[in-house]
Amino acid sequence: MTDTLQIALIQADLVWENPQKNRAKFTQSIASITDHVDLIILPEMFSTGFTMNAEEVAESMSGETVSWMKAMAKKTDTAITGSLVIKEDDKFYNRMIFVDPSGDIKVYNKRHTFTLVGEDKVYTAGTEKLIVNYKGWRICPLVCYDLRFPVWARNTEDYDVLIYVANWPSPRVLAWDALLQARAIENMSYCVGVNRVGIDGVKSTYSGHSAVYDVLGKRLTSFNPGEEKTELVRLEKRHIEKYRNKLKFLSDRDAFTIQ
């Protein structure tokens, strides 16, 4: 158990539908981190970009990208998370994968598939929320469009960190900023968002705005729009405990179940 969690947010451009080049790119980004970190966070569909060509790019859980994540986690003694296209039982998933240094894997399948571009027609929606217990921290990983649905993210599990990985386009980036901050405040947790930059294969543009917010909604990062950058942030348990104990807002939350 640790009282602090050092995380690395990697905001990057992605090579369209080219897992090999993206793995090489992130290998370099990870190698450039000289300080010790506990968790490295990559964007949504970090190996391909946000593609609907699942049949062309999907991998299995024993495929090259998951194997790369395991190897990098072991080499750096750091957990790594991000989402990629996975095929399993003849279905495609936008799957967020969390690999710890021992090689243990936890997975979350994106629940809210993005109907505006037909993601729901290609990818099977997930049904289970995931809480990862890592170094004494309770982490809830979610994916992109999930951010617009606060009920799904509601902190009924007393998690410490809420993570969103995304390919969130520039025209709606103000919503990204506002909703990340809101999720931190309403759930009294750190909220982390890692978005990509650049232009993808269908000409969607991305300006990044990756960020970390504390439980009061204070932004702890300094990414510039559009830049490729890795930023390290130290999360502190005492910050969470101080304001949860003082304000007790989570004690007044509504009880509910999701059908």
Side-chain angles (χ1 to χ4, degrees):
M1 181 179 294
T2 59
D3 293 329
T4 62
L5 192 74
Q6 180 97 323
I7 64 173
L9 291 69
I10 302 182
Q11 179 171 282
D13 197 355
L14 302 177
V15 183
W16 185 247
E17 296 182 355
N18 194 321
Q20 183 176 2
K21 287 186 176 180
N22 285 311
R23 289 193 300 268
K25 182 185 183 79
F26 284 113
T27 297
Q28 291 182 337
S29 297
I30 291 169
S32 72
I33 301 172
T34 56
D35 293 342
H36 173 75
V37 294
D38 301 297
L39 174 61
I40 295 167
I41 308 171
L42 310 178
E44 177 185 22
M45 291 195 186
F46 69 85
S47 62
T48 59
F50 187 60
T51 176
M52 297 302 106
N53 297 324
E55 190 69 59
E56 302 299 320
V57 302
E59 300 184 38
S60 71
M61 289 298 294
S62 59
E64 292 186 17
T65 301
V66 175
S67 297
W68 172 85
M69 292 179 77
K70 292 173 69 175
M72 293 302 296
K74 181 179 181 179
K75 180 179 180 180
T76 59
D77 193 30
T78 304
I80 298 177
T81 192
S83 93
L84 62 149
V85 181
I86 292 291
K87 185 176 183 179
E88 189 173 82
D89 298 329
D90 294 322
K91 295 179 180 179
F92 298 110
Y93 296 94
N94 184 345
R95 177 169 290 177
M96 191 163 177
I97 297 173
F98 189 105
V99 183
D100 73 20
S102 73
D104 184 61
I105 295 176
K106 299 289 191 301
V107 303
Y108 164 75
N109 294 323
K110 182 180 182 181
R111 176 176 173 89
H112 298 94
T113 48
F114 193 37
T115 56
L116 186 64
V117 298
E119 186 183 13
D120 58 312
K121 303 294 193 300
V122 179
Y123 296 94
T124 299
T127 58
E128 301 292 332
K129 196 173 177 182
L130 173 67
I131 304 297
V132 177
N133 290 287
Y134 176 63
K135 292 193 171 184
W137 289 72
R138 292 172 60 77
I139 300 169
C140 180
L142 298 175
V143 180
C144 203
Y145 193 41
D146 286 330
L147 179 60
R148 289 188 177 272
F149 303 91
V151 172
W152 185 238
R154 192 64 173 133
N155 194 358
T156 58
E157 303 89 359
D158 291 326
Y159 57 69
D160 305 302
V161 186
L162 181 61
I163 296 175
Y164 290 94
V165 299
N167 280 209
W168 195 287
S170 298
R172 297 186 293 279
V173 77
L174 290 180
W176 165 260
D177 294 340
L179 294 174
L180 283 176
Q181 185 182 44
R183 296 296 89 82
I185 294 168
E186 69 197 7
N187 292 302
M188 298 210 76
S189 75
Y190 285 103
C191 186
V192 180
V194 176
N195 193 25
R196 66 161 294 179
V197 296
I199 303 173
D200 70 13
V202 293
K203 308 304 180 185
S204 294
T205 61
Y206 305 90
S207 54
H209 287 230
S210 300
V212 179
Y213 293 92
D214 70 15
V215 303
L216 298 181
K218 179 182 178 181
R219 187 170 181 165
L220 305 178
T221 44
S222 57
F223 287 96
N224 292 317
E227 73 174 333
E228 294 193 86
K229 180 184 178 184
T230 298
E231 191 161 335
L232 275 56
V233 180
R234 184 178 299 276
L235 312 184
E236 298 185 348
K237 271 284 186 70
R238 64 183 179 180
H239 168 74
I240 302 171
E241 293 166 353
K242 175 182 177 180
Y243 289 105
R244 286 186 182 177
N245 291 334
K246 179 180 180 179
L247 301 174
K248 301 185 185 301
F249 293 152
L250 291 180
S251 299
D252 299 324
R253 61 194 159 191
D254 297 311
F256 63 90
T257 57
I258 298 176
Q259 302 299 321

